[in-house]
Amino acid sequence: MTTTDSTTLDRGSPLVPGEVVLDERVAPRAPWSAVVRAGHVLTIVDVGGNQSADCLLFADADRSERYSVPDTLAWQGNAYVRTGTVLRSQFGTPLATVVADEVGRQDTIGGACGKESNTLRYGHHTAHQHGCRENFLAEGARHGLSARDLVSNLNWFMNVPVEPDGSLGIVDGISGPGKRVAFRAEVDLLVVVSNCPQVNNPCNDFDPTPLRMLVTTPAGGSR
Amino acid sequence: MSTRNTATVLAARDDARARGGTTSDWMPHLPASSSPHPPAGVDPALLTWAETVAPGGYTSRVLARGTRLRLSDVTGDACAHVLLFSAVAPWERLNVADTQKIPWQAYLGEGHPLLSGDGRVLATVVADTSGRHDAFCGTSSDAWNERRYGDAAPQGPSPSGRGLFTLAAAKQGLEPRDLPPSVSFFQGVRVEADGGFRWLGSAGPAEVDLLAELPLTVLVANTAHPLDPRPRFTVGPLRVHAWRSTPTSAADERFTRTPELHRAYLNTLDHAEARGL
């Protein structure tokens, strides 16, 4: 899939003031990873708007400690991620804190797409399509991670409401070109991102667009 | 000072052997057909597992494809935290996100598939008299139970679910790295409009039946739900029975209940037949 000519692109800038120590662009449908040092802030820019950034976090010192959806949600007593949410590991340890969010509500329920789950959702004709699970496996393998290390993930810029009767699903995004989210690493973090290739649901408006990843050292110095 | 005579090997042997046949409120029953609480309508000869898991206890088992597993909350205070793995390929395991997303439904109930991340049904919820379950909050960590109750050790009064899962996993050759988010039965949670969790708690004594659609490694931890608001650690016994049955087939109504379920069962059958399961 390629970005359509009509797509507005806004590459943005760091959401939190500071010295930029990493500035990378993630192509549509591609994976990305980096180690973000404790105290540094990662700003993710939704360059084209409504582009899901599927994300896994691992403690860099011991990658068997990793992001946990249920611990994050149970600890805060709420199903959605937003400014102030502490992203916790399966041991309850804070891995990162969401420090700014221009969307208002981020998803961590919907999980990742994959070739196999796509067959359930859309039909067996989609089995040839690339998915986030494939991005996680490929990028994770560069760091010695495997299928055993893949757990439920964050979906920056994706919108998954839960209705009163428990109905839930991926619906039209509430992000837009140039919208940003930023989180501060509380420990040295391996961040693995899949710039979602999904073209069968509105998680990226049926049109994968780029992401920009900006790591900053907050102004005034840090660790 | 004990009044028992255990001063010699033979005396110690006699003392130990004298304890055989003792019963407890929480124990496995062998053979399973000897269960004191056989499920109504089930021929006890078909039972392959009969056990009562202690409050704060755990268990694990490998089950054949087609096994029907009944979890019974006897008092209304059990909370069955469950993890499922394919017994033939344990990297295929419960995926809670797919379990909620693919049926377009967050709350578990009759007919709900427990899906792997590989597009297959590990088990189906085939009966449910509770309706109060949770797939959002997972189980408790040591940090959580230490904060809530002052202790989280598996041998202590308020073990964490993760600690119990770690032991159950080790009994099956699995490591902490193999433990994804879990689901829990019998203590309900609902999501409010703002995303906040509302505690429903228990529906009282109830039963849930899971049907193994593939050979399964099952881990069960019976410990307080993370959001249980009661100040004291409160858990009741969890009764477990399993018996030989048949996996979901094209003859079952639920095979085609939704397009997503239909394709999930097709994938599962395709996999099982190719592997001769």
Side-chain angles (χ1 to χ4, degrees), chain A residues 170-187:
Chain A
I170 300 158
V171 301
D172 289 344
I174 49 180
S175 182
K179 294 274 192 185
R180 298 169 294 180
V181 65
F183 59 86
R184 179 183 66 238
E186 304 297 351
V187 299

Side-chain angles (χ1 to χ4, degrees), chain A residues 10-184:
Chain A
D10 178 352
R11 297 186 69 236
S13 57
L15 189 47
V16 173
E19 179 196 347
V20 175
V21 296
L22 184 85
D23 181 355
E24 293 184 353
R25 177 187 162 119
V26 189
R29 310 173 74 235
W32 175 89
S33 65
V35 173
V36 179
R37 295 296 168 197
H40 288 197
V41 173
L42 173 62
T43 296
I44 307 178
V45 184
D46 186 1
V47 172
N50 293 321
Q51 174 58 41
S52 179
D54 291 43
C55 178
L56 288 168
L57 308 175
F58 301 87
D60 194 44
D62 176 2
R63 290 174 184 172
S64 67
E65 181 166 15
R66 61 205 180 193
Y67 178 64
S68 170
V69 170
D71 287 276
T72 297
L73 297 188
W75 211 287
Q76 71 170 7
N78 193 288
Y80 302 122
V81 172
R82 42 171 73 93
T83 300
T85 294
V86 178
L87 306 172
R88 292 181 187 271
S89 78
Q90 77 270 39
F91 307 126
T93 307
L95 296 178
T97 304
V98 180
V99 292
D101 170 13
E102 294 184 324
V103 175
R105 197 179 81 184
Q106 310 275 349
D107 170 65
T108 195
I109 303 166
C113 65
K115 296 169 84 71
E116 292 79 13
S117 69
N118 281 348
T119 70
L120 306 191
R121 292 199 284 169
Y122 311 110
H124 288 102
H125 67 285
T126 63
H128 70 284
Q129 295 172 354
H130 196 57
C132 287
R133 190 171 167 83
E134 286 65 44
N135 271 339
F136 283 149
L137 288 169
E139 192 70 14
R142 298 180 55 230
H143 302 280
L145 303 175
S146 73
R148 297 167 67 194
D149 302 292
L150 300 194
V151 287
S152 299
N153 55 285
L154 290 147
N155 291 302
W156 304 112
F157 310 119
M158 196 167 92
N159 187 20
V160 183
V162 181
E163 305 291 349
D165 68 352
S167 296
L168 90 173
I170 300 158
V171 301
D172 289 344
I174 49 180
S175 182
K179 294 274 192 185
R180 298 169 294 180
V181 65
F183 59 86
R184 179 183 66 238

